Amino acid sequence: MKKCFLPAALLTLLLFTNAQAQDIVLSKDTALIPQGWSVSRGELKFKKNSTVSLNDSNQVVSGVLDKSSYLRPAGWQYLINDHYFATTANLFGPPFLRPVPYHSSILLPTYRHIEYKGGTRVTFDASGCVLSGTLNEAATFQLQPDSYGFVTFKEDTVLTFYPDGRVCSGTLKNDYLLRPAGWQKNNNGFSAGFLPFKSGTAIRFTADGLVSEGILKDPAFWTQPDESTLQLPKNTVIRFNNGAAAVMAADK
């Protein structure tokens, strides 16, 4: 039998150890099954010489992908761009009507999956969805289930989720006006509590979809809980907590 999930020596070791989660180093690109999966064709492989974390059922909790793969993110129910482009050749009509080779792109559904980058680590939740991983393509998610608004996160950056599927952290692909935690006391003028956050910078959200840490595109003023006013600089990490804003460090 040519195909196996684990080297024989490793499999023997696992069978005779206590049923506890453990880390192993793979001796070759190896097909393993993530935790929470009920169906698999053995198509998902993890990279040679990388460390994978296994649960007590020898399923992957965290591992390094051997190649870019479409997987379902923990926030799949909030995913907006549920499609990808594929190139086809001579798709329509009989050959005699197509003397010149013709290539076209068609839109195919991903069934709420996004592509994660090969050679990078992914972490799975208990249902088999990705809690943390590096995007191989930009991905757009709804921030709050009961409010309109979508944010696109940049390719080649790590995107993480809370256990309930809401976005926890990522890197903005575009500039966005977003509400920080504690915005209610800063609902001045026509800004409606929104501040301008900068494209290409890391951002973190509360479980309610409000910004807890980010980098502003333009300076702004913030009213602190003690009624004092703080000027928030641009290109600087700002942290929002319990209604207060704190300037952390300059963006390098």
Side-chain angles (χ1 to χ4, degrees), residues 21-250:
Q22 61 181 309
D23 293 344
I24 61 172
V25 177
L26 300 176
S27 61
K28 63 178 182 179
D29 291 348
T30 306
L32 296 168
I33 301 175
Q35 66 173 354
W37 283 27
S38 59
V39 177
S40 175
R41 295 182 297 173
E43 71 276 20
L44 189 62
K45 290 186 176 182
F46 295 86
K47 194 172 180 63
K48 175 182 177 180
N49 296 328
S50 69
T51 300
V52 296
S53 297
L54 303 176
N55 65 12
D56 56 8
S57 298
N58 298 330
Q59 294 176 309
V60 177
V61 175
S62 176
V64 177
L65 299 172
D66 78 318
K67 63 180 180 181
S68 297
S69 304
Y70 275 91
L71 300 168
R72 176 168 278 190
W76 62 268
Q77 65 269 45
Y78 305 121
L79 179 63
I80 302 301
N81 48 333
D82 185 27
H83 63 267
Y84 71 100
F85 286 97
T87 301
T88 63
N90 298 327
L91 182 62
F92 302 107
F96 61 83
L97 291 179
R98 295 177 275 112
V100 178
Y102 174 75
H103 293 81
S104 64
S105 293
I106 59 174
L107 200 61
L108 298 176
T110 65
Y111 303 103
R112 301 297 179 92
H113 290 58
I114 55 179
E115 189 175 33
Y116 287 92
K117 189 173 183 178
T120 64
R121 183 168 295 276
V122 292
T123 300
F124 298 93
D125 65 15
S127 65
C129 296
V130 177
L131 273 174
S132 173
T134 300
L135 300 174
N136 200 44
E137 58 185 1
T140 303
F141 289 85
Q142 184 176 0
L143 278 185
Q144 300 172 349
D146 299 323
S147 299
Y148 179 86
F150 317 113
V151 172
T152 299
F153 297 94
K154 196 174 183 297
E155 63 277 5
D156 293 323
T157 61
V158 175
L159 180 66
T160 70
F161 297 90
Y162 286 102
D164 68 355
R166 299 194 193 187
V167 174
C168 176
S169 65
T171 299
L172 299 176
K173 185 174 179 63
N174 307 303
D175 295 334
Y176 287 100
L177 289 173
L178 300 168
R179 276 178 169 152
W183 66 270
Q184 293 87 346
K185 201 165 186 176
N186 287 271
N187 187 17
N188 302 318
F190 295 103
S191 66
F194 287 82
L195 293 179
F197 290 89
K198 186 178 180 181
S199 66
T201 62
I203 194 163
R204 182 173 292 274
F205 297 93
T206 67
D208 296 325
L210 301 173
V211 178
S212 61
E213 186 173 298
I215 295 174
L216 296 181
K217 180 182 179 182
D218 301 307
F221 288 96
W222 185 265
T223 301
Q224 300 282 55
D226 63 1
E227 304 299 333
S228 64
T229 300
L230 176 66
Q231 184 173 16
L232 306 179
K234 66 178 182 179
N235 300 329
T236 302
V237 176
I238 309 295
R239 185 171 295 167
F240 302 91
N241 184 37
N242 292 326
V247 180
M248 304 306 296

